[in-house]
């Protein structure tokens, strides 16, 4: 609703705006397509950007929470086959320096005093 739109106006970061758009019915489908395309075209950059979004305390909480859920979903799946494919992608095609950034950002977010992130 209005708080997410107001937050999008304050944050000019394209990923933040895209995540906030994904929470709005009028823009959700297009935003989800763009997010899926980003993951498909460059998973390493996608993971790193989501992790940085999650970690950053000045970002809107809704965007941070969605970034965390998307990161989890990009790395894990309910079915064993899909989960194995995602693990293999993480292990085989994501550079070690990107993995280190993602781990660091996620740990920083988990250790944050802000419990809603």
């Amino acid at each position: 609703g209005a708080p997410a739109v107001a937050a999008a106006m304050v944050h000019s970061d394209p990923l933040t705006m895209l995540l906030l758009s994904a929470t709005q019915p009028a823009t959700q489908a297009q935003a989800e397509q763009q997010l899926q395309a980003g993951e498909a075209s460059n998973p390493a950059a996608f993971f790193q950007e989501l992790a940085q979004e999650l970690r950053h305390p000045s970002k809107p909480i809704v965007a941070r929470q969605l970034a965390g859920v998307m990161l989890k979903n990009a790395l894990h799946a309910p079915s064993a086959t899909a989960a194995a494919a995602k693990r293999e992608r993480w292990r085989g095609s994501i550079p070690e320096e990107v993995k280190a950034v993602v781990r660091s950002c996620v740990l920083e977010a988990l250790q944050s005093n802000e419990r809603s992130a």
Side-chain angles (χ1 to χ4, degrees):
V5 171
M9 292 178 185
V10 173
H11 294 278
S12 60
D13 180 90
L15 179 60
T16 302
M17 293 176 67
L18 195 55
L19 290 167
L20 292 172
S21 293
T23 68
Q24 302 301 309
T27 54
Q28 181 178 5
Q30 182 180 3
E32 286 176 352
Q33 286 177 336
Q34 289 177 311
L35 289 164
Q36 289 169 353
E39 180 181 359
S41 68
N42 190 344
F46 184 74
F47 294 157
Q48 186 167 331
E49 289 180 30
L50 285 176
Q52 290 170 336
E53 184 82 16
L54 173 65
R55 175 201 64 132
H56 208 292
S58 70
K59 301 288 183 151
I61 193 64
V62 172
R64 293 177 67 204
Q65 289 171 338
L66 185 53
V69 169
M70 291 191 70
L71 188 58
K72 182 219 37 116
N73 290 344
L75 298 171
H76 181 72
S79 81
T81 304
K86 290 180 181 205
R87 273 194 309 276
E88 184 56 37
R89 177 178 64 176
W90 175 258
R91 291 178 183 153
S93 67
I94 306 300
E96 287 302 320
E97 58 272 11
V98 172
K99 291 179 193 176
V101 169
V102 170
R103 287 181 189 118
S104 173
C105 288
V106 169
L107 285 173
E108 192 174 323
L110 289 171
Q111 294 169 347
S112 168
N113 289 331
E114 189 174 332
R115 289 291 126 217
S116 56

